[in-house]
Amino acid sequence: MASTLKVVLLLLFSSFTISPISCYKGAQHPLDPLSPKELTLVQTIVKKSYNPSSNNSISFHYVGLDEPEKPTVLSWLSKPSTKTLPRRALVFTRVNEQTHEIIVDLSKRIIVYDEVYKGLGYPLLTADEQIAAIQLPLKYGPFIESTKKRDLNVSYVVCSTFTVGWFGGVERTKRVVKVQCFYNKGTVNLYLRPIEGIRIVVDLDKMKIVEYSDAFKIPVPKAEGTDYRFSKQHPPFGPRINGAAIMQTNGPGFEIDGHTIRWVNWVFHLAFDVRVGPIISLASIYDPEKHTYRSVLYRGHISELFVPYMDPTEEYYYKTFFDCGEFGFGQNAASLVPLADCPNNAVFMDGYYAAHDGSAVKVANAFCIFERHAGDIMWRHTELGIPNRVITEARPEVSLVVRMVATIGNYDHIIDWEFKPSGSIKAQVGLSGILEVKSTTFTNVDQINEEVYGTLLGDNTIGLNHDHFLTYRLDLDIDGVANSFVKQNLVTKHVKDNVSPRKSFWTVVSETAKTESEAKIRLGMTPSDLVIVNPNKKTKPGNYHGYRLIPGTATHPLLLEDDYPQIRGAFSKYNVWVTPYNKSEIWAGGKYVDQSQGQDTLAVWTLRDRKIENEDIVLWHVLGYHHSPCQEDFPVMPTLSAGFELRPANFFESNPVLKVLPPKPVRWPNCTAKP
Ligand SMILES: *[C@@H]1O[C@H](CO)[C@@H](O)[C@H](O)[C@H]1NC(C)=O
Ligand SMILES: *[C@@H]1O[C@H](CO)[C@@H](O)[C@H](O)[C@H]1NC(C)=O
Ligand SMILES: *[C@@H]1O[C@H](CO)[C@@H](O)[C@H](O)[C@H]1NC(C)=O
Ligand SMILES: *[C@@H]1O[C@H](CO)[C@@H](O)[C@H](O)[C@H]1NC(C)=O
Ligand SMILES: [Cu+2]
């Protein structure tokens, strides 16, 4: 056993040194997110390009890596080089009420592109401008009057910004947000205590209230029972949750080198982006038979999250949010809490983004990375069929998880990427946090005599119906960039001519999608396995190397297709889309989502019906929930998860984890804990 171990380790080690992965020691990885230094440099270069003596104020709405062209990255990786590729930043700014699209060459320290964006829609809202906007009502005479009228003490009023959406007008609107206010006296759970009847519109460029009305009043729901802090709970308590800790006497089983993570048979790159949060790049898996790493996922990340609420009344109709493109997953990343958000064996990584003024902001512990020992079984078999013998083989499952939490106002999104030694990649999003509710006069469902657009969760509180549609952009490169998308339809066949006692069976009828229109799929309609294959690489028996998409629950939009929010969120129409790789098609709801009119969505791009067979292709997967709230979601919602799996399908010649080396036994120490 010991000698086998040594041999395998040596093999692994020698192949490591010839693998492309270790060739960039000393140089910066071309897909690294912008460092704080680079963010500061962008700020300096961009600010300098505007006349500092003028009164123009400039705000930064997106600063991210301008991703180098894919062939450039791949050739950099394949050649042993310690040279850092030229670094460029993509920047969206607002100057003089205009949006600028800028590319900064960080290596040459110059702006290489600067154009005013004249199209529809606006960039990400910054955190700072939202903080400024929510202060405005608190000093605004008519609002103070309104709080008095409701017997509310304005010192306990907290407001929040909400994007306004688009509802059919063709004229260009100002960059405005709606501000809704809440009463947090006696609770920190402000979202469960909305102050109804007041309409506030703030112009973000002018930073002032431009519309105000107070139409009616309804008492805010009571504070009692809304607080989620442990210190505010009253008996009866319980149950007590049993604690556990992972012991890894040899430390973590993974290695982090800059942003590159190596674990067991995987290597991948992890980046932080202000808009989409975690980005997994260049995920490759080691094939011990081929003695090499094999590419699986060039780039994978959430592209957009569409959350339309189902209350069409004047006070709530506009709530149709695009959480990535309007608010930013990275901008709203929470600092993860050790031992609660992540287990004790987790390692943390910070994230950085540019603030409103362009300066670098650190999100401490934005990511955690940990080995998951969940007590699951990787594979097993008990053989009872051989007389007088019982043969049992089992291997414990261990996986590697990368986690980030984006808290957009009331909702918390727990974003996980999980890698398994078997070659599977699982992506999962857990929803937690607070529901969006409205106040009502009803205290019991028996009193309800009108449409309330949700569920009565308690006295005076309606949890509003809504959807969550998440779209993932998955640029799979299965053993190379040229891939095809194959629908392996499962088709019922009739047994003819009475040759069998059976009447029917099903068989697989494969269909390769030639163009984008052939790859638009609403899941759940016809049974099929969806596979990205490399049509140029076959296994020994002749099957194409591939990876299967194993979807989770299929959710389809219920809004009318010509309803304005649905036009903007048109990427939710299908659960699967495939497009040819295009560096500028990253954000499924469009580059400028705030107040967009759906002019730049995945649905629009695919109207070109481009060729996708044996091309560099990108798989888009939309998953979601229709969320009709229930009382258990109140006052804070137990995590609800959805996800999917990317799983090798004829990628390996046989079970890739047949010969995993079982973990060494971990010694439990005596009862004395380490200080
Ligand atoms: C800048 O602002 C000051 C005071 O607000 C004003 O007097 C001046 O004319 C402005 N200059 C320009 C170039 O707009
Ligand atoms: C409002 O609340 C603040 C802070 O608790 C308190 O100091 C103030 O007296 C209150 N105002 C009124 C009118 O009750
Ligand atoms: C890439 O996508 C953008 C945005 O959809 C489009 O304008 C451009 O023409 C595309 N480029 C190619 C080569 O298709
Ligand atoms: C404690 O550790 C010692 C030596 O490491 C071992 O001999 C002993 O059995 C352990 N005691 C318990 C209760 O596990
Ligand atoms: Cu929900």
Side-chain angles (χ1 to χ4, degrees):
M1 186 66 197
S3 61
T4 325
L5 181 79
K6 208 185 274 171
V7 169
V8 174
L9 282 179
L10 269 173
L11 259 176
L12 267 171
F13 192 73
S14 64
S15 58
F16 226 44
T17 53
I18 58 154
S19 93
I21 306 308
S22 60
C23 294
Y24 53 85
K25 289 252 184 240
Q28 187 168 16
H29 193 291
L31 298 178
D32 277 356
L34 299 179
S35 66
K37 254 189 193 157
E38 289 176 318
L39 291 169
T40 307
L41 187 56
V42 168
Q43 181 194 33
T44 309
I45 294 168
V46 171
K47 280 196 146 176
K48 222 165 58 189
S49 76
Y50 292 93
N51 182 359
S53 65
S54 83
N55 290 345
N56 297 342
S57 70
I58 174 165
S59 51
F60 292 78
H61 296 259
Y62 177 82
V63 182
L65 176 73
D66 179 40
E67 197 186 316
E69 297 294 338
K70 196 193 266 201
T72 315
V73 174
L74 294 179
S75 82
W76 183 88
L77 279 173
S78 67
K79 281 186 229 117
S81 165
T82 52
K83 227 181 95 204
T84 299
L85 285 180
R87 300 273 292 165
R88 287 160 48 128
L90 174 63
V91 185
F92 302 157
T93 61
R94 294 279 297 171
V95 184
N96 281 341
E97 301 194 12
Q98 285 185 314
T99 301
H100 285 245
E101 229 175 280
I102 299 168
I103 292 174
V104 178
D105 184 321
L106 289 159
S107 313
K108 297 203 185 89
R109 301 183 171 228
I110 51 168
I111 287 177
V112 292
Y113 178 90
D114 184 349
E115 288 280 320
V116 173
Y117 171 70
K118 297 206 174 76
L120 296 162
Y122 296 114
L124 270 178
L125 277 63
T126 70
D128 293 318
E129 66 189 359
Q130 292 176 74
I131 291 167
I134 64 175
Q135 300 302 322
L136 298 175
L138 310 179
K139 292 176 218 124
Y140 186 70
F143 181 77
I144 295 167
E145 261 326 289
S146 296
T147 59
K148 281 191 187 141
K149 237 168 57 185
R150 288 168 173 75
D151 287 325
L152 303 176
N153 182 336
V154 76
S155 0
Y156 295 106
V157 173
V158 183
C159 304
S160 188
T161 49
F162 297 88
T163 45
V164 297
W166 168 69
F167 298 89
V170 284
E171 78 284 4
R172 189 175 296 266
T173 50
K174 294 278 188 191
R175 204 165 70 89
V176 292
V177 287
K178 291 201 174 167
V179 174
Q180 191 183 3
C181 299
F182 305 87
Y183 201 51
N184 77 337
K185 189 174 186 189
T187 181
V188 292
N189 200 338
L190 59 125
Y191 298 108
L192 293 183
R193 306 189 72 204
I195 302 169
E196 301 291 342
I198 299 172
R199 187 181 127 90
I200 309 169
V201 180
V202 169
D203 182 321
L204 288 175
D205 288 325
K206 298 197 161 55
M207 198 45 76
K208 66 174 204 205
I209 293 175
V210 291
E211 276 177 51
Y212 186 85
S213 69
D214 182 354
F216 60 89
K217 57 180 202 181
I218 294 177
V220 294
K222 61 180 191 289
E224 191 197 333
T226 60
D227 212 309
Y228 43 81
R229 289 172 297 174
F230 187 71
S231 59
K232 300 291 168 188
Q233 308 307 316
H234 305 292
F237 289 109
R240 161 93 51 205
I241 304 167
N242 197 15
I246 301 288
M247 284 247 318
Q248 297 188 300
T249 39
N250 298 321
F254 53 90
E255 187 187 304
I256 303 178
D257 176 6
H259 291 268
T260 299
I261 298 171
R262 296 186 189 88
W263 173 76
V264 183
N265 47 359
W266 280 103
V267 60
F268 59 91
H269 181 275
L270 171 64
F272 178 91
D273 179 71
V274 63
R275 178 162 177 166
V276 300
I279 302 179
I280 304 289
S281 302
L282 293 161
S284 300
I285 188 164
Y286 187 77
D287 185 332
E289 304 296 328
K290 293 190 159 64
H291 306 295
T292 183
Y293 277 89
R294 298 173 59 194
S295 64
V296 176
L297 183 67
Y298 180 75
R299 219 149 155 81
H301 55 85
I302 291 171
S303 171
E304 191 54 90
L305 168 57
F306 174 40
V307 189
Y309 281 82
M310 295 300 138
D311 182 342
T313 61
E314 178 60 28
E315 292 72 41
Y316 283 90
Y317 76 89
Y318 63 88
K319 297 202 170 193
T320 51
F321 306 124
F322 291 81
D323 282 345
C324 290
E326 292 175 343
F327 299 101
F329 267 14
Q331 180 167 246
N332 290 285
S335 287
L336 297 169
V337 179
L339 304 184
D341 284 327
C342 310
N344 71 298
N345 60 329
V347 169
F348 294 84
M349 202 189 265
D350 302 331
Y352 296 90
Y353 66 88
H356 187 85
D357 69 356
S359 59
V361 178
K362 172 171 158 177
V363 183
N365 295 359
F367 294 135
C368 72
I369 301 127
F370 59 92
E371 279 183 303
R372 175 180 279 164
H373 299 261
D376 293 333
I377 299 169
M378 179 186 273
W379 61 261
R380 79 171 318 287
H381 182 61
T382 295
E383 184 51 67
L384 298 170
I386 305 172
N388 305 321
R389 291 177 71 185
V390 177
I391 295 160
T392 291
E393 283 283 313
R395 300 288 179 275
E397 180 71 291
V398 183
S399 57
L400 185 76
V401 177
V402 171
R403 175 169 296 166
M404 196 197 93
V405 171
T407 302
I408 318 288
N410 52 321
Y411 257 112
D412 297 67
H413 307 80
I414 303 156
I415 305 160
D416 281 0
W417 286 88
E418 181 177 8
F419 294 83
K420 291 178 182 256
S422 62
S424 278
I425 302 175
K426 288 178 87 171
Q428 184 169 279
V429 169
L431 289 181
S432 190
I434 322 289
L435 289 172
E436 184 124 354
V437 307
K438 77 182 213 177
S439 312
T440 173
T441 51
F442 301 123
T443 53
N444 191 288
V445 290
D446 294 340
Q447 302 160 344
I448 299 176
N449 54 4
E450 60 190 45
E451 180 67 70
V452 291
Y453 315 107
T455 308
L456 188 67
L457 300 171
D459 292 355
N460 311 115
T461 308
I462 304 275
L464 295 172
N465 295 334
H466 60 280
D467 298 313
H468 303 255
F469 287 108
L470 272 157
T471 172
Y472 281 81
R473 178 175 179 271
L474 304 164
D475 181 0
L476 289 154
D477 282 356
I478 305 301
D479 267 332
V481 294
N483 287 178
S484 294
F485 177 65
V486 179
K487 292 181 273 184
Q488 297 179 340
N489 299 318
L490 311 185
V491 180
T492 302
K493 295 266 169 141
H494 297 265
V495 178
K496 290 189 189 118
D497 308 325
N498 297 320
V499 296
S500 160
R502 291 270 297 270
K503 288 184 178 168
S504 62
F505 62 99
W506 63 256
T507 189
V508 178
V509 178
S510 288
E511 192 189 330
T512 301
K514 293 193 169 48
T515 62
E516 290 174 292
S517 61
E518 294 176 16
K520 296 178 179 178
I521 294 170
R522 306 191 90 186
L523 291 169
M525 302 298 167
T526 51
S528 62
D529 286 328
L530 305 174
V531 200
I532 294 279
V533 301
N534 186 324
N536 315 297
K537 301 263 170 74
K538 286 183 185 176
T539 56
K540 283 178 201 140
N543 296 306
Y544 292 130
H545 294 175
Y547 254 74
R548 223 174 242 179
L549 170 70
I550 316 246
T553 39
T555 305
H556 310 299
L558 294 169
L559 290 178
L560 295 177
E561 204 174 334
D562 64 350
D563 198 353
Y564 303 106
Q566 191 56 40
I567 293 170
R568 301 176 67 216
F571 57 80
S572 61
K573 180 173 179 187
Y574 296 101
N575 303 102
V576 175
W577 311 67
V578 179
T579 58
Y581 172 84
N582 177 328
K583 204 187 121 181
S584 46
E585 293 178 348
I586 301 290
W587 299 298
K591 211 189 259 185
Y592 299 99
V593 184
D594 177 30
Q595 295 182 49
S596 73
Q597 302 186 7
Q599 72 284 352
D600 180 29
T601 68
L602 176 56
V604 172
W605 309 334
T606 57
L607 290 177
R608 280 176 276 173
D609 204 14
R610 294 162 289 185
K611 288 192 168 54
I612 53 168
E613 191 180 6
N614 203 8
E615 299 278 347
D616 187 1
I617 54 178
V618 176
L619 174 71
W620 303 76
H621 180 42
V622 178
L623 55 96
Y625 320 79
H626 297 298
H627 192 175
S628 154
C630 54
Q631 286 184 243
E632 289 82 355
D633 300 343
F634 180 100
V636 62
M637 182 179 150
T639 304
L640 175 68
S641 295
F644 62 89
E645 180 172 345
L646 296 167
R647 187 178 167 97
N650 303 319
F651 184 81
F652 294 106
E653 294 293 339
S654 61
N655 179 350
V657 283
L658 174 69
K659 296 192 267 186
V660 287
L661 302 171
K664 291 188 208 142
V666 175
R667 265 181 173 282
W668 288 92
N670 283 341
C671 292
T672 48
K674 263 205 291 190

